[in-house]
């Protein structure tokens, strides 16, 4: 099978191969090449005298125009032998006797009765009767020793796709549009990155990421799209907040490091997210100090619940001239975050960049914590920084201009 390594079918024993890709990433080509390799018996597949394949798309028109006749479809990749298309029977037929029948998510019942050795499902996240169509297809995959199913789609937060991603038996492959830029118009990537780079839409449609909201989260995805601005004004104060982990093993929490500033109108500006893991004390101290000097900050805010006086001491050991204020959390994380979330709701906070990991954590944070169960270290650092700037007063502000 031709293509990049990410477009190659898994060698392991598998039933379902899920390909999550951005627009133009080559996911359709991967599906078409897989069908062609299956029919031709190319490695790792064995030739089979009779082979019945299901081609399932949002509509029959999509199956024909994209999966079969499209520039990356089955006809385009079948260079050695093209199948013939039987319009009345809505199927492809190869000289070997292999067939590929067309089905639409608009008519799940059309999958009742037929049986298959394999199936290719395209743009699953767009399907109309997605669960019913999927269920009917599963009952039909009952031929051969090991029926196989390939799904190619740009992800959207629908229940079926999330269930597939959570299923340990499903092999998942991700493809970003940028991986295939050699086959795209030269100006395309420059244009879409300028318009959508780092946005929710861009991460979904270009990077193939599954982006969703938790209904009870303190922040929303829509809010994140509205608060970004590259036009940062003069800032009265800049602080760097650090929420260090208790340990530095591979399973430890991240070290939250977030910088924020305050302008003359009282608006808060999130300037940087330098959080990382695993983080040893000397590493997080050096990164925090470097950010302090790069932004010409006034103060480092350090949560000391985990390490007590150790946190300021580690920073002082690296640079004793850096001002550090230790803060101790006496309330739960959600209670501390609520006033900051309210400032966002009031439109009083802006982000000077697209901080994907921070925004993901914010939009996943509820009163019950993160869905992963891990500590919200980036959110903690954000809350400490903005609390210092916006929930307190400073009698002697200094002006900072970001250049």
């Amino acid at each position: 099978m031709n293509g990049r390594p990410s477009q190659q079918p898994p060698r392991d024993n598998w039933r379902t191969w899920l390909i999550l890709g951005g627009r133009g990433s080559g996911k359709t080509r991967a599906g078409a090449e897989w069908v062609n390799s299956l029919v031709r018996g190319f490695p790792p597949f064995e030739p089979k005298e009779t082979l019945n394949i299901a081609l399932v798309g949002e509509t029959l028109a999509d199956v024909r125009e994209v999966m079969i006749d499209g520039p990356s479809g089955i006809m385009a990749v079948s260079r050695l032998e093209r199948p013939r298309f039987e319009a009345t029977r809505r199927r492809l037929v190869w000289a070997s006797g292999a067939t590929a029948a067309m089905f639409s998510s608009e008519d799940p019942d059309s999958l009742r009765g037929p049986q298959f050795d394999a199936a290719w499902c395209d743009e699953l996240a767009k399907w109309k009767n997605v669960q019913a169509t999927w269920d009917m297809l599963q009952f039909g995959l009952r031929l051969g020793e090991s029926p196989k199913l390939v799904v190619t789609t740009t992800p959207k937060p629908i229940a079926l796709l999330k269930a597939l991603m959570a299923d340990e038996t499903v092999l998942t492959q991700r493809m970003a549009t940028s991986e295939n830029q050699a086959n795209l118009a030269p100006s395309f990537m420059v244009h879409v990155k300028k318009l959508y780079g780092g946005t929710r839409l861009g991460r979904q449609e270009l990077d193939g990421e599954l982006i969703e909201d938790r209904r009870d989260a303190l922040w929303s995805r829509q809010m994140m799209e509205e608060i970004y601005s590259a036009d940062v004004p003069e800032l009265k104060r800049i602080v760097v907040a650090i929420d260090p982990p208790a340990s530095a093993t591979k399973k430890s929490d991240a070290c939250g490091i977030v910088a924020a500033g305050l302008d003359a109108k009282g608006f808060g500006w999130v300037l940087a997210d330098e959080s990382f893991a695993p983080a040893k004390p000397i590493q997080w101290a050096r990164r925090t100090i470097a950010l302090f000097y790069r932004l010409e900050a006034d103060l480092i805010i350090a949560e000391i619940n985990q390490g007590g006086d150790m946190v300021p001491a580690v920073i002082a050991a690296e640079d004793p001239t850096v001002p550090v204020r230790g803060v101790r959390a006496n309330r739960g994380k959600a209670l501390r975050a609520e006033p900051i979330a309210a400032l966002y709701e009031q439109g009083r906070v802006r982000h000077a960049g697209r901080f994907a990991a921070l925004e993901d954590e914010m939009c996943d944070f509820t009163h019950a914590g993160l869905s992963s169960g891990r500590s919200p270290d980036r959110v903690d650092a954000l809350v400490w920084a903005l609390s210092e700037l916006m929930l307190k007063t400073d009698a002697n502000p200094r002006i900072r201009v970001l250049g």
Side-chain angles (χ1 to χ4, degrees), residues 302-361:
E303 181 176 316
I304 59 176
N305 284 58
Q306 299 283 10
D309 294 336
M310 181 273 290
V311 180
V314 171
I315 295 175
E318 285 296 309
D319 188 339
T321 67
V322 173
V324 181
R325 178 187 299 161
V327 290
R328 187 179 297 277
N330 296 317
R331 297 184 299 162
K333 297 178 185 295
L335 289 177
R336 298 199 310 272
E338 280 181 341
I340 302 304
L343 293 174
Y344 276 85
E345 290 283 356
Q346 295 163 8
R348 295 177 58 193
V349 181
R350 301 282 187 270
H351 283 199
R354 297 310 306 245
F355 310 116
L358 173 61
E359 292 172 10
D360 284 350
E361 198 169 278

Side-chain angles (χ1 to χ4, degrees), residues 245-292:
S247 61
T249 67
K250 290 183 178 180
K251 295 183 178 180
S252 297
D253 295 326
C255 177
I257 304 174
V258 173
L262 184 71
D263 68 21
K265 295 182 178 180
F267 287 89
W269 289 84
V270 179
L271 305 174
D273 173 22
E274 297 279 338
S275 309
F276 70 110
K280 296 180 180 179
I282 191 172
Q283 293 173 325
W284 53 249
R286 288 176 177 174
R287 181 171 293 199
T288 304
I289 292 170
L291 183 60
F292 172 87

Side-chain angles (χ1 to χ4, degrees), residues 164-365:
L164 290 174
M165 294 175 66
D167 189 339
E168 295 181 354
T169 67
V170 174
L171 300 182
T172 302
Q173 178 68 52
R174 298 179 184 274
M175 298 180 186
T177 303
S178 58
E179 294 178 34
N180 197 40
Q181 60 184 352
N183 297 309
L184 304 174
S187 62
F188 172 74
M189 288 305 302
V190 175
H191 180 66
V192 294
K193 281 185 176 180
K194 180 180 179 181
L195 290 177
Y196 307 110
T199 67
R200 176 182 184 177
L201 186 62
R203 291 175 63 192
Q204 174 179 286
E205 301 295 327
L206 298 177
D207 299 330
E209 295 185 37
L210 183 67
I211 309 295
E212 62 177 326
D213 273 320
R214 291 182 73 182
R215 292 184 178 179
D216 52 348
L218 272 65
W219 291 270
S220 71
R221 293 286 179 185
Q222 183 61 39
M223 182 187 295
M224 295 299 102
E225 299 302 311
E226 296 171 351
I227 61 176
Y228 167 68
S229 175
D231 299 322
V232 183
E234 292 183 347
L235 300 175
K236 297 193 303 179
R237 292 192 66 199
I238 297 175
V239 300
V240 178
I242 176 172
D243 177 29
S247 61
T249 67
K250 290 183 178 180
K251 295 183 178 180
S252 297
D253 295 326
C255 177
I257 304 174
V258 173
L262 184 71
D263 68 21
K265 295 182 178 180
F267 287 89
W269 289 84
V270 179
L271 305 174
D273 173 22
E274 297 279 338
S275 309
F276 70 110
K280 296 180 180 179
I282 191 172
Q283 293 173 325
W284 53 249
R286 288 176 177 174
R287 181 171 293 199
T288 304
I289 292 170
L291 183 60
F292 172 87
Y293 281 116
R294 175 159 61 86
L295 297 180
E296 299 182 0
D298 303 281
L299 180 68
I300 291 177
I301 305 293
E303 181 176 316
I304 59 176
N305 284 58
Q306 299 283 10
D309 294 336
M310 181 273 290
V311 180
V314 171
I315 295 175
E318 285 296 309
D319 188 339
T321 67
V322 173
V324 181
R325 178 187 299 161
V327 290
R328 187 179 297 277
N330 296 317
R331 297 184 299 162
K333 297 178 185 295
L335 289 177
R336 298 199 310 272
E338 280 181 341
I340 302 304
L343 293 174
Y344 276 85
E345 290 283 356
Q346 295 163 8
R348 295 177 58 193
V349 181
R350 301 282 187 270
H351 283 199
R354 297 310 306 245
F355 310 116
L358 173 61
E359 292 172 10
D360 284 350
E361 198 169 278
M362 294 169 69
C363 296
D364 186 49
F365 184 67

Side-chain angles (χ1 to χ4, degrees), residues 114-136:
Q115 52 187 356
F116 314 101
D117 300 89
W120 171 24
C121 302
D122 190 48
E123 293 299 352
L124 178 91
K126 290 174 56 185
W127 286 8
K128 293 177 171 59
N129 302 297
V130 59
Q131 191 63 57
T133 304
W134 181 263
D135 291 340
M136 291 300 100

Side-chain angles (χ1 to χ4, degrees), residues 33-102:
E33 291 278 9
W34 177 77
V35 170
N36 184 53
S37 297
L38 197 64
V39 171
R40 301 289 297 174
F42 294 153
F45 308 111
E46 296 292 336
K48 193 172 184 293
E49 291 185 2
T50 59
L51 189 67
N52 296 299
I53 304 170
L55 304 177
V56 191
E58 180 186 7
T59 68
L60 289 175
D62 290 320
V63 177
R64 180 71 186 272
E65 299 299 326
V66 177
M67 301 173 72
I68 295 176
D69 290 335
S72 298
I74 294 171
M75 290 297 193
V77 305
S78 301
R79 290 168 291 276
L80 296 178
E81 176 200 336
R82 283 195 171 192
R84 72 176 186 274
F85 181 68
E86 296 183 348
T88 57
R89 302 187 68 179
R90 297 189 306 200
R91 68 175 188 172
L92 294 174
V93 180
W94 282 263
S96 64
T99 63
M102 300 167 58

